[in-house]
Amino acid sequence: MTQTIKARVLVTPRREVLDPQGDAVRLGLHSMGYDEVADVRVGRYVELSLTGSRADARDRVREMCERLLANGVIEDFSFTLDEAL
Amino acid sequence: MTQTIKARVLVTPRREVLDPQGDAVRLGLHSMGYDEVADVRVGRYVELSLTGSRADARDRVREMCERLLANGVIEDFSFTLDEAL
């Protein structure tokens, strides 16, 4: 069945990789008085609207992540699929 | 009760705002043969580890989003709180 599907992709730096952007945000928050912040990691959020079947979408979105949206050397990804309203 | 809490923040461009990064990703995916992709929006994902009570965390994280993590003029944000394992 063809339908509109929304894929929500999270791309995050791998645990063992330095995250200078996260460090900058943490320091910024500390300087503003948010001393309770122990760690910050900054990643990307990508929302895709696609047409097609849900079964195909899962494989295709995984492929898009591996080929373009995430850099497998330094990043992890995860995603969920929703049918769009 | 003091505990370690993980806040997961999504920052997305507002619907009415142009998203050139999303357009670039969409064109890139089309050029790779993923013609089923109708729309792409690119935002940020920020994971914060904080100490303190859950009740305080909700207000504090909202404030961090408004003051630093998101630009209210052009971006929306949402977040969830989990107790870290």
Side-chain angles (χ1 to χ4, degrees):
Chain A
M1 197 186 117
T2 294
Q3 54 194 340
T4 301
I5 295 161
K6 190 151 278 190
R8 299 168 203 279
V9 180
L10 292 181
V11 180
T12 49
R14 281 174 184 264
R15 278 293 135 195
E16 65 272 21
V17 171
L18 290 177
D19 176 14
Q21 205 183 346
D23 292 340
V25 171
R26 181 173 47 79
L27 293 175
L29 289 171
H30 284 183
S31 76
M32 295 166 77
Y34 299 107
D35 294 320
E36 71 264 44
V37 178
D39 190 45
V40 180
R41 307 288 286 180
V42 176
R44 290 189 301 288
Y45 170 65
V46 184
E47 217 176 75
L48 305 165
S49 302
L50 21 153
T51 53
S53 79
R54 205 180 159 79
D56 289 344
R58 187 160 295 282
D59 290 341
R60 297 280 281 182
V61 171
R62 181 174 299 111
E63 215 181 84
M64 291 179 213
C65 289
E66 287 165 353
R67 292 183 62 195
L68 184 76
L69 302 179
N71 175 348
V73 179
I74 54 168
E75 294 171 327
D76 289 319
F77 68 84
S78 63
F79 65 88
T80 57
L81 298 180
D82 293 337
E83 281 161 45
L85 298 180
Chain B
M1 196 185 115
T2 294
Q3 54 194 341
T4 300
I5 295 161
K6 191 150 276 189
R8 299 167 202 279
V9 179
L10 292 180
V11 180
T12 49
R14 281 174 184 264
R15 279 291 136 195
E16 64 273 20
V17 171
L18 290 177
D19 177 14
Q21 205 183 347
D23 291 341
V25 171
R26 182 174 46 82
L27 293 176
L29 289 170
H30 284 183
S31 76
M32 295 166 78
Y34 300 107
D35 295 320
E36 71 265 44
V37 178
D39 189 44
V40 180
R41 307 288 286 180
V42 176
R44 290 189 301 289
Y45 170 65
V46 184
E47 217 176 75
L48 305 165
S49 302
L50 24 153
T51 53
S53 80
R54 206 182 159 79
D56 289 344
R58 187 161 295 282
D59 290 341
R60 297 280 280 181
V61 171
R62 181 175 298 111
E63 216 182 83
M64 292 179 213
C65 289
E66 287 166 354
R67 293 183 63 195
L68 184 76
L69 302 177
N71 176 348
V73 179
I74 55 168
E75 294 171 329
D76 289 319
F77 66 85
S78 64
F79 65 89
T80 58
L81 298 181
D82 293 336
E83 282 161 43
L85 298 180

